[in-house]
Amino acid sequence: MKVYVWKQSGNSYKLRVLLALLGVDYEEVMVDFRAHAHKHADYLKINPRGQVPAIVDGDTVLWDSAACLVYIARKFGGEQWLPSTPAPMAEVMNWTALAGNEMQFGLQYARRGLMRGIYSAGTLEQMQANGRVALDVLEQRLAQNEWLALGHPTLADIACFPYAETAPQGGIGLDAYPGIAAWLKRCKALPNWPERWKV
Amino acid sequence: MKVYVWKQSGNSYKLRVLLALLGVDYEEVMVDFRAHAHKHADYLKINPRGQVPAIVDGDTVLWDSAACLVYIARKFGGEQWLPSTPAPMAEVMNWTALAGNEMQFGLQYARRGLMRGIYSAGTLEQMQANGRVALDVLEQRLAQNEWLALGHPTLADIACFPYAETAPQGGIGLDAYPGIAAWLKRCKALPNWPERWKV
């Protein structure tokens, strides 16, 4: 299984986390954003969106981070990370979807704006406002629960972790979110939780 | 099962479609956006994001459209609409996730901008650019395949349908996307495909 990532990408980090927690062997392929490798024709054949991460595993080609997480969880993780029964599966997807909506277009793009000067989804203030929608929902949940979706860690926690942790890089401090801060620590204490790539 | 919707919401329409195709009985609850019912305290207890759709079914409360679709598909749809094996499930999630990323923040928000004057995720041009990322990926797939994820209709098609169909309301004509145009007709020809609500 080839896993295409870039070291500054929080969406890539989600896959790194799940693969490490599950102890899965895989081939990591760095897609160098500085060289615009994510927009090269060869890579666009794998991921027509021109983003990371992506997975190629035999005939299976996946180019959305949530789909990649679903694949890894269902192939290697049994029922823990993404249960197959309707209500628990949908509970997990609630948060996994949030990670691709307000967390991506709010928290991640606010961070990208401040770090790289790219503002493609609104002004910094608009992206921060979208990001706070996500953080407020997370905080409300985590004020009374240890994990987002179920009574144990699931895909939901992994999907939401990277851009919650980096919210301050988008100009949103986490002081007002004690539930989130405690949950971030809880996640990082899971056995085999990996560091981000060194930049 | 109570299903909270608003008649102008494409995300609500996704649930209406899947429930109709599967012939599921449910209680439809209109959340009147004109009266700001989606921001009332009672509704925010169900959906802390203040959006539609949402589902309440016994103890199960879901507030993201992708999660609602997953729940309905897995509870009532057997293996057809969302298979439980890793690769087919992830293929479906690729497109279901796209429907919540570029389709939502591009196509849907461009449409909302032109219809309601709300520009919360960038300028019209930025939202249209994000929307075209999604349409280009859809077109590339549909130029050679009848359905998005697998060899038959799945959740992927239902999730992507509403905001692809309304792209022109966001100022993006579909003339350049013949594969999408043919697929939209193919979707609407499925047995029991329901119309949108009358506005």
Side-chain angles (χ1 to χ4, degrees), chain B residues 169-188:
Chain B
Q169 294 178 1
I172 305 178
L174 290 176
D175 289 348
Y177 299 100
I180 293 175
W183 163 78
L184 291 172
K185 285 185 188 165
R186 213 174 290 133
C187 287
K188 290 166 85 167

Side-chain angles (χ1 to χ4, degrees), chain A residues 26-143:
Chain A
Y26 63 101
E27 181 183 344
E28 181 182 284
V29 183
M30 275 288 161
V31 181
D32 190 341
F33 270 49
R34 293 166 307 193
H36 287 272
H38 55 308
K39 304 297 182 190
H40 284 190
D42 283 351
Y43 184 68
L44 291 175
K45 285 181 196 163
I46 296 168
N47 187 344
R49 270 204 289 189
Q51 300 171 6
V52 285
I55 282 180
V56 176
D57 189 15
D59 290 339
T60 301
V61 180
L62 301 165
W63 40 258
D64 178 89
S65 62
C68 292
L69 289 173
V70 163
Y71 182 67
I72 297 164
R74 293 298 305 160
K75 183 163 181 180
F76 303 103
E79 289 290 301
Q80 179 184 346
W81 299 92
L82 183 61
S84 57
T85 43
M89 176 182 282
E91 292 275 2
V92 171
M93 291 312 303
N94 243 345
W95 302 97
T96 305
L98 183 73
N101 305 160
E102 283 88 350
M103 299 194 76
Q104 171 79 26
F105 283 81
L107 300 177
Q108 150 62 353
Y109 286 172
R111 170 182 181 246
R112 189 175 67 172
L114 285 178
M115 289 175 74
R116 294 169 57 202
I118 298 173
Y119 294 93
S120 62
T123 64
L124 180 63
E125 291 69 26
Q126 286 176 328
M127 294 188 287
Q128 287 174 337
N130 284 327
R132 284 196 186 89
V133 169
L135 291 177
D136 289 347
V137 174
L138 287 176
E139 181 65 24
Q140 187 177 325
R141 180 75 176 186
L142 292 167

Side-chain angles (χ1 to χ4, degrees), chain B residues 112-134:
Chain B
R112 189 174 67 172
L114 286 179
M115 289 175 73
R116 294 169 58 201
I118 298 172
Y119 294 93
S120 62
T123 63
L124 180 62
E125 290 69 27
Q126 287 176 328
M127 294 188 287
Q128 288 174 337
N130 284 326
R132 284 198 185 89
V133 170

Side-chain angles (χ1 to χ4, degrees), chain B:
Chain B
M1 179 166 69
K2 287 189 179 183
V3 180
Y4 295 80
V5 296
W6 175 236
K7 56 190 179 180
Q8 286 177 296
S9 153
N11 284 320
S12 297
Y13 184 46
K14 298 173 188 177
L15 274 58
R16 179 177 171 91
V17 170
L18 183 57
L19 290 160
L21 295 185
L22 292 174
V24 177
D25 280 330
Y26 63 101
E27 181 183 346
E28 181 182 283
V29 183
M30 274 289 159
V31 180
D32 191 341
F33 270 47
R34 293 166 307 193
H36 287 273
H38 56 306
K39 304 296 182 190
H40 284 189
D42 283 351
Y43 183 69
L44 290 175
K45 284 180 196 162
I46 295 168
N47 187 343
R49 268 204 288 188
Q51 300 171 6
V52 284
I55 282 180
V56 177
D57 189 14
D59 290 340
T60 301
V61 180
L62 301 166
W63 39 258
D64 178 88
S65 62
C68 292
L69 288 174
V70 163
Y71 182 66
I72 297 165
R74 293 297 306 160
K75 183 163 181 181
F76 303 104
E79 288 289 304
Q80 179 184 347
W81 298 92
L82 183 62
S84 58
T85 42
M89 177 182 281
E91 291 275 1
V92 172
M93 291 312 303
N94 243 346
W95 302 97
T96 306
L98 183 72
N101 305 160
E102 283 89 349
M103 299 195 77
Q104 171 80 24
F105 283 81
L107 300 177
Q108 149 63 352
Y109 285 172
R111 170 183 181 244
R112 189 174 67 172
L114 286 179
M115 289 175 73
R116 294 169 58 201
I118 298 172
Y119 294 93
S120 62
T123 63
L124 180 62
E125 290 69 27
Q126 287 176 328
M127 294 188 287
Q128 288 174 337
N130 284 326
R132 284 198 185 89
V133 170
L135 292 178
D136 289 348
V137 175
L138 288 176
E139 181 64 23
Q140 187 176 326
R141 180 75 176 186
L142 292 168
Q144 301 188 347
N145 296 274
E146 289 211 324
W147 304 103
L148 284 172
L150 305 173
H152 57 81
T154 67
L155 218 56
D157 302 287
I158 296 173
C160 291
F161 179 95
Y163 294 123
E165 189 188 34
T166 59
Q169 294 178 1
I172 305 178
L174 290 176
D175 289 348
Y177 299 100
I180 293 175
W183 163 78
L184 291 172
K185 285 185 188 165
R186 213 174 290 133
C187 287
K188 290 166 85 167
L190 289 170
N192 301 314
W193 186 276
E195 292 294 310
R196 290 173 194 258
W197 293 275
K198 287 196 169 43
V199 178

